[in-house]
Amino acid sequence: MAEGTAITSTTLNALPKIAEGKVRDLYEVDSNTLLFVASDRISAYDVIMSNGIPSKGPLLTQLSTFWFHLLPTLVPGLRTHFLTLSLPSQIPPSQIGQLENRSMQVRRLKVFPIEAIVRGYITGSAWKEYQRSQTVHGIPMPAGLLESSPFPQPLYTPSTKAEAGQNDENIHPSEAAKIVGEEYATQIEDLAIKLYTAARDYAAERGIIIADTKFEFGVDEAGDVVLVDEVLTPDSSRFWRKDRYEVGREQESFDKQFLRNWLVREGLKGKQGVSMPEEVVKETARKYKEAYEGLTGAKWENAVTGKD
Ligand code: ATP
Ligand code: MG
């Protein structure tokens, strides 16, 4: 990683672009199918940096694919939006380069407007809230928790999925039920906890703590809940090294913490149009690669790409 040029935008004539998220470009393949393309864009504090991290998109796509294959074996009955890593036949050879290894075709679904966050350990915004009010997303917590300590059991802490430019808002699970309805809220919470628990146990055997993560779910024509978006990547999760873990302090994580710390130090937090220096790009790339290799047990250089 961090070799080559970052691809921070994609342009296709063959398919209509239906959305551009902070990281992904979404194209319509047909009425039931999307081409889900992970660019090398990186955002921190909800702002996209002006340069990217070379190969970050392929890494996110390959790591999500790894989980899309593994998770249904750990959580029987799980449905996911993953269809294939192959590109749709409409793409002409001249436009393949920008998509290669970073794209998957997925089922096009109605996405629930909540982020299903599960926390195994108290950190980040949850730790800040706890220090203020001894609650996490409004849920009362026992006294005496130290920073980074595990919760007695994984905690489901949803947030709203804000429109572009707005910040997501932490909400109490009862608020989520008002947004998506009781029945779906219960199914989403149960699934999110099951997925987190299975992934946490899998990662722990490989020396990685999944401190928290965010899932998104959609619903298909049959009314079934389906796991969508990216899954258990450094963009959507906090991964910590087990051998360096210590309660009572902030942990060094595999994710964007390095970038966030640099932004804060330089007084650039929340500013638009920030360009990351080479050392931040390199270090961030190194952390992403470490996460990929730790979780999959495969070398990033040898990542098998372009097949189902
Ligand atoms: P947003 O687009 O809300 O700002 P983001 O910046 O995290 O979120 P990206 O990750 O760049 O967005 O883009 C992915 C977008 O695609 C998200 O809005 C996500 O909800 C949506 N999405 C994921 N899976 C599906 C799917 N199967 N069908 C339709 N939309 C999906
Ligand atoms: Mg996203």
Side-chain angles (χ1 to χ4, degrees):
M1 261 191 85
E3 313 285 291
T5 324
I7 293 188
T8 52
S9 68
T10 62
T11 327
L12 289 185
N13 306 324
L15 303 175
K17 191 185 265 189
I18 60 156
E20 221 177 76
K22 286 188 284 292
V23 172
R24 286 175 185 75
D25 293 346
L26 274 58
Y27 293 91
E28 178 182 283
V29 179
D30 59 46
S31 58
N32 298 316
T33 316
L34 294 178
L35 186 63
F36 198 64
V37 185
S39 73
D40 294 332
R41 297 193 287 273
I42 187 164
S43 72
Y45 301 111
D46 281 331
V47 178
I48 303 166
M49 302 297 116
S50 63
N51 54 340
I53 310 285
S55 291
K56 171 175 175 278
L59 192 144
L60 295 185
T61 297
Q62 304 305 323
L63 184 55
S64 292
T65 302
F66 166 80
W67 288 114
F68 280 130
H69 285 124
L70 180 67
L71 289 171
T73 70
L74 304 176
V75 179
L78 175 70
R79 293 176 178 81
T80 84
H81 73 160
F82 180 87
L83 292 172
T84 176
L85 286 174
S86 305
L87 292 173
S89 55
Q90 296 97 310
I91 314 281
S94 62
Q95 291 180 15
I96 286 177
Q98 56 183 326
L99 304 175
E100 244 171 359
N101 304 330
R102 62 178 72 243
S103 311
M104 58 172 80
Q105 294 191 60
V106 301
R107 297 174 67 192
R108 181 181 194 167
L109 298 166
K110 203 168 146 267
V111 176
F112 290 109
I114 57 168
E115 314 224 305
I117 300 166
V118 184
R119 300 172 191 269
Y121 295 75
I122 188 161
T123 182
S125 67
W127 170 242
K128 288 211 179 76
E129 182 186 328
Y130 177 77
Q131 287 172 290
R132 277 197 310 269
S133 57
Q134 214 183 297
T135 60
V136 172
H137 290 229
I139 306 163
M141 286 292 130
L145 288 181
L146 297 174
E147 183 170 15
S148 304
S149 52
F151 289 111
Q153 66 245 349
L155 198 63
Y156 176 64
T157 56
S159 77
T160 59
K161 232 174 97 57
E163 300 289 319
Q166 311 275 301
N167 291 334
D168 297 337
E169 198 190 324
N170 288 352
I171 53 175
H172 189 275
S174 62
E175 281 300 309
K178 287 185 202 152
I179 301 172
V180 303
E182 282 297 338
E183 205 170 305
Y184 282 133
T186 311
Q187 285 186 50
I188 290 170
E189 173 167 352
D190 285 355
L191 254 181
I193 298 269
K194 276 199 188 114
L195 289 169
Y196 170 77
T197 307
R200 176 201 64 188
D201 295 347
Y202 170 88
E205 285 172 24
R206 283 148 189 88
I208 293 174
I209 294 172
I210 304 179
D212 52 36
T213 194
K214 178 219 56 162
F215 300 108
E216 291 191 34
F217 294 94
V219 60
D220 65 14
E221 325 71 54
D224 289 323
V225 174
V226 182
L227 179 63
V228 303
D229 207 57
E230 63 180 321
V231 184
L232 292 156
T233 70
D235 269 12
S236 64
S237 323
R238 281 193 182 87
F239 299 134
W240 297 338
R241 279 177 62 150
K242 217 164 138 185
D243 60 358
R244 300 213 184 131
Y245 170 70
E246 221 176 70
V247 287
R249 61 162 172 83
E250 200 186 321
Q251 312 300 303
E252 189 195 324
S253 58
F254 288 112
D255 59 20
K256 308 182 211 173
Q257 204 57 49
F258 190 81
L259 168 59
R260 292 198 195 105
N261 293 349
W262 174 78
L263 288 168
V264 169
R265 238 181 11 249
E266 300 292 319
L268 295 170
K269 178 180 169 181
K271 295 238 162 71
Q272 300 285 339
V274 172
S275 179
M276 300 171 287
E278 192 53 29
E279 109 234 18
V280 174
V281 171
K282 278 227 169 88
E283 185 59 16
T284 304
R286 201 180 62 73
K287 302 242 180 217
Y288 274 64
K289 186 174 138 191
E290 203 178 336
Y292 174 90
E293 296 188 339
L295 289 166
T296 65
K299 282 266 170 235
W300 172 242
E301 281 73 19
N302 302 337
V304 182
T305 53
K307 53 176 274 217
D308 297 85

